[in-house]
Amino acid sequence: MVSEYDYIFTSESVTEGHPDKVCDQISDAILDAILLQERTLEATGEGSVADARVACETMATEGQVFLAGEIRTSAYVDIDATVREVVQDIGYDDVNSGFHYRSIGISNSIHAQSADIARGVDESFEAQHADGSIDQYEALGAGDQGMMFGFASNQTSTLMPLPIFLAHRLSERLALVRKDGTLAYLRPDGKTQVSVRYSEGRPVGIDTVLISTQHADVPGVEAELKAQLIKHVIAPVMEAHELDWQGATVYVNPTGRFVAGGPAADTGLTGRKIIVDTYGGYARHGGGAFSGKDCTKVDRGAADAARWVAKNIVAAELAEQVEIQLAYGIGIAEPLSLMVNCFGTNAVEEGRIADAVQAVFDLRPAAIIRDLDLLRPIFRLTSNYGHFGRELPEFTWEQINRVGELQAQV
């Protein structure tokens, strides 16, 4: 049992038009473009996707996008075209909005990766100090130091906490009804928030739903918006998941008006929505962002692996919920530590689960990249509506393909 008292837990999500998410998508689109071209070059012997290193940061404000970061690649990417394509796809195509895909200025300050950092990744600490030969998965060092957390809970079918799961589904639905014309007066920027009531550690009801969404400056929109969002966004999401929400308090645009939005109204930055990207605050976070980073950066690759491990533990019914912590040192292949915390919900001793994890999962960066196939250009897809808990073919870290091995080990 996780808890013996009642409480309310809240998580938020944001739409793809939120300023920070605009930046996440641009950074990940540049990463994807590099990976895609490197795969093509690799086929002709002119490049290597495994050798590409990407750390791309984006800032967006009124009329401007600024890019910085460190990249090593054999590919050529049309940065300006990539930025404009992302902004257009999101829906910033109103010439009066202050942020239009054709007219934005783009400043590019991307430069080469530091040779000192590259050295530790290309040739790990273990490789530099080995007396003899080592395998290829020992040779690649972690791209940075730090700790990463993974989490899973049987609160939902995707083994995610219910508040963040629902907040993301509402944000997805908000974008859908904008793009398909159901509510054509909506604009790209928006946020959702869901407060869930818990009793003895289990979700028992929806307490509050909050949606703030940008809209066109059309007479009468404010008066009808709440009823339309309840009908076309909130009700379909809640009913699809068979949740009783009729007693919930619903807020829509509490300020009364949300016309000015997007980067023209609020500056965006890559990596500023790390809690939205992960577990909505229900689990701890190591502090590292995902977007714009290739998966030699353990902020991203090891966070994927930690979610993969946690999800398989819960799917194997070794615990009802579990948090995994991994830690790495820059240039070192082997994780420095592994922690398993089941919050008292485990069916067997946590030490036995940790031993099983170490026997079943290879958590060196190169092995993570191999096992989760992380050299594919799929990362812009991850930058919206949750990096975890979306069971899409591209999201290999959501597979529950090690359940049998874990059960056999314990």
Side-chain angles (χ1 to χ4, degrees), residues 308-324 338-361 363 402-403 405-410:
W308 182 39
V309 171
K311 190 170 183 182
N312 275 268
I313 289 171
V314 174
E317 298 183 348
L318 302 179
E320 294 179 14
Q321 72 177 35
V322 64
E323 184 179 77
I324 303 294
L338 163 70
M339 181 204 71
V340 175
N341 183 0
C342 300
F343 307 95
T345 71
N346 42 306
V348 299
E349 294 88 345
E350 287 174 336
R352 290 174 63 192
I353 297 174
D355 289 343
V357 168
Q358 291 178 313
V360 171
F361 294 91
L363 296 171
R402 299 291 175 92
V403 167
E405 293 174 69
L406 283 170
Q407 290 172 332
Q409 284 292 328
V410 299

Side-chain angles (χ1 to χ4, degrees), residues 52-309:
R53 301 287 181 265
V54 181
C56 180
E57 310 288 348
T58 304
M59 182 177 76
T61 189
E62 184 175 15
Q64 293 286 327
V65 172
F66 300 90
L67 299 164
E70 303 79 45
I71 292 178
R72 183 182 76 183
T73 182
S74 302
Y76 169 76
V77 172
D78 188 335
I79 298 291
D80 282 24
T82 301
V83 171
R84 295 185 196 282
E85 180 182 345
V86 171
V87 174
Q88 181 184 20
D89 183 56
I90 292 168
Y92 284 110
D93 53 9
D94 180 352
V95 294
N96 298 312
S97 69
F99 194 78
H100 185 273
Y101 73 96
R102 285 181 180 163
S103 62
I104 51 174
I106 300 171
S107 176
N108 182 357
S109 297
I110 294 171
H111 57 89
Q113 185 189 42
S114 160
D116 290 346
I117 294 174
R119 178 174 182 267
V121 179
D122 295 339
E123 185 182 15
S124 69
F125 177 87
E126 291 91 335
Q128 293 180 39
H129 295 84
D131 294 331
S133 62
I134 61 171
D135 69 55
Q136 60 181 310
Y137 303 108
E138 193 80 352
L140 184 77
D144 204 348
Q145 71 175 47
M147 65 281 192
M148 299 82 215
F149 289 91
F151 183 81
S153 168
N154 63 4
Q155 293 178 27
T156 62
S157 61
T158 61
L159 305 187
M160 287 288 287
L162 184 60
I164 188 65
F165 176 84
L166 289 177
H168 283 320
R169 302 297 77 77
L170 290 171
S171 289
E172 282 180 320
R173 182 78 186 171
L174 197 58
L176 175 65
V177 298
R178 169 176 64 90
K179 290 183 172 183
D180 71 9
T182 301
L183 298 178
Y185 51 75
L186 296 184
R187 294 295 177 260
D189 196 359
K191 288 185 171 185
T192 66
Q193 188 167 289
V194 179
S195 302
V196 175
R197 293 194 308 275
Y198 283 78
S199 180
E200 297 185 343
R202 307 302 303 173
V204 295
I206 309 302
D207 185 82
T208 307
V209 176
L210 166 62
I211 297 180
S212 294
T213 181
Q214 186 186 12
H215 57 83
D217 191 6
V218 178
V221 168
E222 291 92 341
E224 71 169 73
L225 189 57
K226 181 174 180 178
Q228 291 298 312
L229 291 185
I230 288 174
K231 178 180 178 180
H232 295 292
V233 177
I234 300 172
V237 168
M238 298 299 177
E239 291 167 6
H241 299 286
E242 300 181 347
L243 293 167
D244 179 10
W245 64 281
Q246 295 302 324
T249 301
V250 176
Y251 295 102
V252 171
N253 285 6
T255 66
R257 177 179 168 87
F258 189 175
V259 172
D266 185 13
T267 297
L269 290 169
T270 297
R272 202 159 55 178
K273 286 290 176 285
I274 58 176
I275 300 303
V276 170
D277 286 342
T278 53
Y279 306 101
Y282 205 90
R284 285 175 284 193
H285 197 295
F290 299 152
S291 291
K293 298 177 181 177
D294 74 85
C295 286
T296 64
K297 279 74 171 173
V298 284
D299 280 341
R300 182 169 222 158
D304 290 344
R307 164 64 177 170
W308 182 39
V309 171

Side-chain angles (χ1 to χ4, degrees), residues 18-29:
H18 185 280
D20 296 329
K21 279 294 154 198
V22 171
C23 295
D24 285 346
Q25 289 170 89
I26 290 171
S27 294
D28 273 337

